[in-house]
Amino acid sequence: MNRRELFRRAIAGTVGAAAGSLLPPGGARAAALEPKRFPDGYDASKDLARPDWKPVFLDEHQNQTLIALSDLIIPETDTPGAKRALVNRFIDRLLEAETTETKRSFLASLAFVDGACIERYRAPFVDLPVETQVGFLKFIAYPHSYVTWGDNRSEFAGHAHFRNLKGWISRTYYGSEAGQKELGWTGNVFHGDFEGCTHPDKTHN
Amino acid sequence: MPQDPLAVTYDAVVVGSGATGGWAAKKLSEAGLKVALLEAGRNVSAEEFTEHMPAYKLEYRNLSPEVVRTRPVQKMCYACMEYNYDWFVDDLENPYSTPEGKPFTWQRLRIVGGRTLVWGRQSYRLSDLDFKAASDDGHGDDWPFSYRDLSPYYDLVERYVGISGTAEGNDALPDGQFLPPMKMTCGEKLLRERVKTKFGRTVTIGRTAILTRAHNGRAACHYCGPCERGCSTFSYFSSPFTTVADALRTGNCKLMTDAVVRHVDMDPRTNRARGVTCVDRNTRRTYQVSGRAVILCAQALESTRILLNSRNAEHAAGLGNSSGLLGRFLMDHAVGAGASGELSGIDFKKSAGDPNRPNGIYIIRFRNVKGGPRSARFIRGYGFQGGAAPNFNFEAEGFGAAYKAAVRGGVYGIRLSGFGESLARMDNFVEIDPALQDAWGIPALRIQMTHGPNEAAMMEDAAVAAAEMLEAAGARNIVLNSKLAMPGMAIHEVGTARMGSDPRKSVLDPYNQTHDVKNLFVMDGACFVSSGCQNPTLTMMALTARACDRLIERFKKNEM
């Protein structure tokens, strides 16, 4: 998150609490501080690829639903895609450590998908044929407008849940090694220079 | 047998090892004075830098909930992250309070180097437009010196630190001793040309404390990007690897870490400071460090907290507070307003493997400047920081292969964020909260600050000005933000022990000595009389160098 985004959030009131109100009434506690070091070769992503991996937060059905969703939202193309990048496993790890509010928000979106599918197709999302899954996602992937029928509703709950789930999947995928490589990351961190604009003045287009 | 460092009476006890403490330690120890440099946190090593470590290797890919849990205030700063959050204070150990409805975010690091490890590195001089602003518009007070007095110290600091930038010949933002500038992107050059043509305003590359060529034994920037996680080549300026290292190299400076200063010790017979009382951060043992001069460089609010906590029978309202102004005139730049948009027609291909320039652009103040039109709604002015560059389009609609392609296709974004002067006001202040202590039993601060109608009008103007400049550059999908962020968000807090020639109207004299105690100094941002709209660290370092030169003279004359 950049500073501008923090400003935006601060203005929206989401990070605006005074420090005093965040602290226990009995005052502060102290904890020993040690330098936090990452040993050579440290790579916490390797643990996600363990053959005996099991979800620690999601149940098996939720995990399978998440895998199916992530595979459709960021599929394997010329690059690996979210399923192969084990996006579900990282999300499970992060959710396990997250706040109750964040956990609830994620599970509510996952539950919406299943609830809406059961209502429409009499089956949970993961049990639907792929064509039906894709059709359902198209229904919730875009904002809905009712303006032409004189209705002022501007927010469609399904789209908000889709954006929530897509945000988790997209952030996780593009933050993974596979996602980073797809975006061009090579591991080279020593660049000779930043070239900047090389056009003659007034010819940047 | 080595001498017990606690049994020594040092020439100077310097509290804080950041931008100003590093300079004080360097200047004084290089002059042959014996210096104790006290730091409340631990030492830092380049081995713990993580600027080259990709996020996917972290347990939570830089999204760790632990950061938010233990550092809910610190996390408001973009630089506090899973990589480095242990550099920032634990908010649960380091509380402060604010009145209901008046939030203030206070960003703090306790580690050798302090905030220089993570600072934004933007380095701008103030001018007489700032130092003499009160004479111009009647608000507040002038500084007790002019730009000409500080200019040689700006030169000194810039030559040592290494500031890259472009000379523009604009009186509102004096030029300095620059290394070659970093280069602008196409979008930024386009903006510079259009804004100059249409408005006569100057868009320049950010003046930054990052080397563009080898300098003073440090290598040029290699454009990896995330300086706030450390710099293995020391290309950005941070005190542990420059000023503090120089001080230690003299053999005259003793660095004491984990030394949480509780108060300044006074000799009531002579009304002179004897040293400081510290609490060991780990053992809680209390001990004293003695010195002929005490120099507070703990960061503006921390230094003032130490003075307020040093009250005694002779100084009942806090040390150095005979004026009653200690703690008053807290300032932090008005931020939050600006505009963003997208540029079309520029060929680009975004890649995560590209060089990552850790710098942006700066638009020099153009409101209420000499010879320019006056605003009817506000006094003083603002500058802009921002940039134009390709970004990945993570916000693209839809899903599937088309979404992946859209992400990679990217958008050419452009943004401008205003940084406005925060007026010095009596009713923005810090005091000791009688009911709150930190984890070491030291009374904590109560911080009371709001931005006023001047800052609000200024930020509204900044938002409109940003939008009109983006329009001139041909941007589309412009989004404007005109609201003020909460005080503290600029992380440019200054004031609370301001300097001046009149002891009735100021806490410090023009050379950062407290009016009330002749061997007690505050050489950090607490001394600011007004905030200007420029990032303050360069000025703080120049002021420290100037004050130290005066102090060295006094030592030479046996006045200490």
Side-chain angles (χ1 to χ4, degrees):
Chain A
M1 187 182 300
N2 60 26
R3 182 179 282 206
R4 199 173 137 258
E5 172 63 8
L6 279 163
F7 289 159
R8 191 191 64 73
R9 287 183 55 185
I11 288 162
T14 55
V15 294
S21 64
L22 299 163
L23 295 160
R29 63 171 177 77
L33 288 179
E34 297 296 332
K36 183 167 64 67
R37 302 263 165 80
F38 298 100
D40 289 345
Y42 180 87
D43 185 350
S45 68
K46 288 180 179 161
D47 196 45
L48 296 173
R50 278 192 352 251
D52 61 343
W53 181 89
K54 292 266 188 281
V56 291
F57 174 72
L58 300 170
D59 65 27
E60 192 50 40
H61 174 74
Q62 290 165 336
N63 184 46
Q64 291 304 320
T65 305
L66 178 56
I67 291 171
L69 281 166
S70 62
D71 196 28
L72 289 171
I73 289 173
I74 302 190
E76 185 159 338
T77 53
D78 55 331
T79 53
K83 182 176 178 181
R84 191 133 74 88
L86 305 177
V87 158
N88 63 307
R89 297 187 180 192
F90 177 77
I91 290 176
D92 179 71
R93 173 193 281 178
L94 182 56
L95 280 171
E96 200 266 340
E98 268 292 359
T99 61
T100 305
E101 185 187 4
T102 303
K103 287 172 178 167
R104 278 192 188 135
S105 161
F106 183 86
L107 291 180
S109 293
L110 213 52
F112 170 86
V113 169
D114 258 353
C117 287
I118 289 168
E119 186 182 323
R120 283 168 178 75
Y121 314 115
R122 308 269 181 250
F125 181 82
V126 75
D127 292 342
L128 297 173
V130 170
E131 306 79 52
T132 309
Q133 289 177 331
V134 170
F136 175 72
L137 287 186
K138 283 186 176 167
F139 178 65
I140 65 173
Y142 299 98
H144 288 207
S145 168
Y146 302 89
V147 173
T148 50
W149 300 100
D151 193 321
N152 287 329
R153 281 176 293 169
S154 57
E155 182 64 34
F156 165 55
H159 181 56
H161 287 301
F162 176 83
R163 283 180 61 86
N164 186 24
L165 293 168
K166 179 181 158 185
W168 277 86
I169 291 164
S170 176
R171 269 195 308 276
T172 303
Y173 174 69
Y174 288 109
S176 71
E177 183 173 8
Q180 281 290 292
K181 284 181 174 170
E182 177 179 328
L183 297 179
W185 178 77
T186 62
N188 174 36
V189 292
F190 290 97
H191 306 281
D193 197 5
F194 177 83
E195 190 176 44
C197 175
T198 54
H199 300 105
D201 282 354
K202 303 186 192 304
T203 61
H204 310 292
N205 294 359
Chain B
M1 188 173 165
Q3 197 171 13
D4 177 0
L6 299 184
V8 175
T9 296
Y10 295 90
D11 292 317
V13 176
V14 177
V15 179
S17 64
T20 58
W23 268 98
K26 171 182 165 65
K27 289 283 288 183
L28 300 177
S29 59
E30 286 180 345
L33 300 176
K34 298 294 182 191
V35 175
L37 178 58
L38 274 50
E39 167 54 49
R42 63 173 174 85
N43 212 336
V44 66
S45 153
E47 290 170 14
E48 63 191 279
F49 290 168
T50 56
E51 80 275 29
H52 297 157
M53 184 181 187
Y56 72 79
K57 291 190 174 183
L58 298 176
E59 186 173 11
Y60 297 111
R61 296 183 187 169
N62 208 22
L63 299 168
S64 172
E66 177 69 3
V67 183
V68 179
R69 191 186 69 75
T70 60
R71 288 157 178 84
V73 175
Q74 306 309 309
K75 187 68 196 84
M76 294 182 208
C77 172
Y78 72 99
C80 179
M81 47 182 69
E82 187 176 344
Y83 288 100
N84 65 358
Y85 68 95
D86 63 323
W87 291 355
F88 289 75
V89 299
D90 182 327
D91 290 315
L92 307 180
E93 293 180 358
N94 295 275
Y96 62 94
S97 64
T98 54
E100 187 71 30
K102 294 182 177 178
F104 183 95
T105 176
W106 187 14
Q107 305 298 318
R108 291 184 282 172
L109 280 81
R110 283 190 167 179
I111 187 165
V112 172
R115 297 200 300 205
T116 66
L117 291 176
V118 300
W119 68 313
R121 307 166 300 281
Q122 293 294 295
S123 300
Y124 301 100
R125 294 185 177 203
L126 272 62
S127 74
D128 279 335
L129 186 64
D130 309 298
F131 294 126
K132 303 300 176 191
S135 292
D136 185 54
D137 59 33
H139 178 88
D141 291 270
D142 286 341
W143 292 57
F145 54 77
S146 67
Y147 174 72
R148 197 175 58 180
D149 299 309
L150 196 58
S151 179
Y153 292 96
Y154 277 131
D155 289 344
L156 173 86
V157 170
E158 286 167 344
R159 285 194 181 108
Y160 176 84
V161 167
I163 309 290
S164 61
T166 300
E168 298 286 0
N170 188 316
D171 290 341
L173 193 77
D175 296 327
Q177 307 296 323
F178 296 138
L179 298 181
M182 290 187 179
K183 298 182 181 76
M184 284 186 175
T185 64
C186 295
E188 291 162 351
K189 283 183 76 172
L190 181 70
L191 182 75
R192 176 179 165 93
E193 291 162 8
R194 301 268 179 92
V195 164
K196 180 61 83 178
T197 301
K198 184 158 186 184
F199 303 104
R201 301 170 188 163
T202 301
V203 179
T204 190
I205 189 70
R207 295 173 180 176
T208 183
I210 303 176
L211 306 182
T212 47
R213 65 174 181 225
H215 183 73
N216 285 343
R218 296 153 49 213
C221 176
H222 54 278
Y223 297 96
C224 71
C227 307
E228 62 278 1
R229 283 149 45 188
C231 181
S232 306
T233 56
F234 311 114
S235 308
Y236 83 112
F237 177 80
S238 64
S239 64
F241 308 98
T242 53
T243 48
V244 172
D246 282 359
L248 297 177
R249 205 172 291 123
T250 65
N252 292 327
C253 180
K254 171 69 180 172
L255 174 63
M256 300 181 187
T257 55
D258 304 310
V260 183
V261 173
R262 177 186 284 275
H263 60 253
V264 176
D265 297 317
M266 288 291 293
D267 181 342
R269 290 177 302 106
T270 60
N271 191 41
R272 292 173 67 87
R274 289 188 310 207
V276 295
T277 290
C278 309
V279 182
D280 184 285
R281 183 169 62 88
N282 299 313
T283 68
R284 313 292 183 85
R285 184 173 64 93
T286 298
Y287 60 96
Q288 281 77 39
V289 180
S290 302
R292 294 181 182 86
V294 172
I295 301 170
L296 302 181
C297 295
Q299 184 267 341
L301 303 192
E302 284 286 12
S303 291
T304 294
R305 179 186 174 200
I306 291 169
L307 292 175
L308 289 168
N309 277 330
S310 302
R311 60 180 175 269
N312 56 33
E314 292 76 29
H315 302 271
L319 207 46
N321 197 17
S322 61
S323 64
L325 297 178
L326 180 64
R328 299 279 166 176
F329 304 109
L330 169 61
M331 297 163 274
D332 180 61
H333 285 146
V335 292
S340 59
E342 294 169 13
L343 292 172
S344 53
I346 297 176
D347 287 336
F348 70 92
K349 188 173 185 321
K350 170 72 176 168
S351 169
D354 289 343
N356 188 355
R357 186 194 66 190
N359 191 21
I361 53 171
Y362 190 83
I363 300 180
I364 300 174
R365 175 179 162 184
F366 48 85
R367 288 284 190 248
N368 298 329
V369 296
K370 281 207 166 53
R374 296 272 168 165
S375 166
R377 295 188 62 212
F378 61 90
I379 58 172
R380 313 292 163 94
Y382 55 83
F384 284 105
Q385 295 178 35
N391 301 313
F392 294 113
N393 187 12
F394 297 116
E395 298 301 315
E397 291 286 359
F399 63 95
Y403 173 70
K404 289 177 78 174
V407 167
R408 284 195 302 245
V411 289
Y412 203 106
I414 183 166
R415 62 180 172 79
L416 296 174
S417 302
F419 283 70
E421 175 152 354
S422 161
L423 293 183
R425 286 173 22 214
M426 270 286 277
D427 59 336
N428 284 334
F429 64 97
V430 299
E431 60 188 343
I432 297 299
D433 185 326
L436 191 62
Q437 297 182 339
D438 68 14
W440 297 270
I442 301 173
L445 281 183
R446 182 169 182 76
I447 305 173
Q448 177 158 322
M449 181 174 177
T450 58
H451 287 308
N454 197 72
E455 287 85 0
M458 186 187 289
M459 284 293 98
E460 195 174 299
D461 189 76
V464 173
E468 70 186 10
M469 289 190 282
L470 295 193
E471 279 177 354
R476 56 187 172 79
N477 297 330
I478 292 173
V479 176
L480 183 144
N481 190 350
S482 65
K483 289 185 181 169
L484 274 161
M486 81 170 97
M489 283 302 288
I491 323 178
H492 293 166
E493 65 277 11
V494 291
T496 68
R498 69 176 184 179
M499 52 167 52
S501 302
D502 184 347
R504 295 167 303 175
K505 294 178 67 182
S506 55
V507 176
L508 306 174
D509 81 358
Y511 290 91
N512 297 73
Q513 177 213 295
T514 57
H515 289 297
D516 299 351
V517 180
K518 301 302 179 196
N519 65 336
L520 176 60
F521 302 80
V522 181
M523 295 189 189
D524 57 27
C527 73
F528 274 43
V529 181
S530 60
S531 73
C533 63
Q534 301 90 321
N535 303 49
T537 305
L538 179 71
T539 299
M540 291 179 198
M541 292 192 284
L543 286 166
T544 304
R546 177 174 177 269
C548 284
D549 270 1
R550 170 57 72 97
L551 180 58
I552 290 163
E553 272 179 41
R554 288 175 60 188
F555 267 104
K556 284 178 181 167
K557 292 177 182 169
N558 251 341
E559 292 176 2
M560 296 304 293

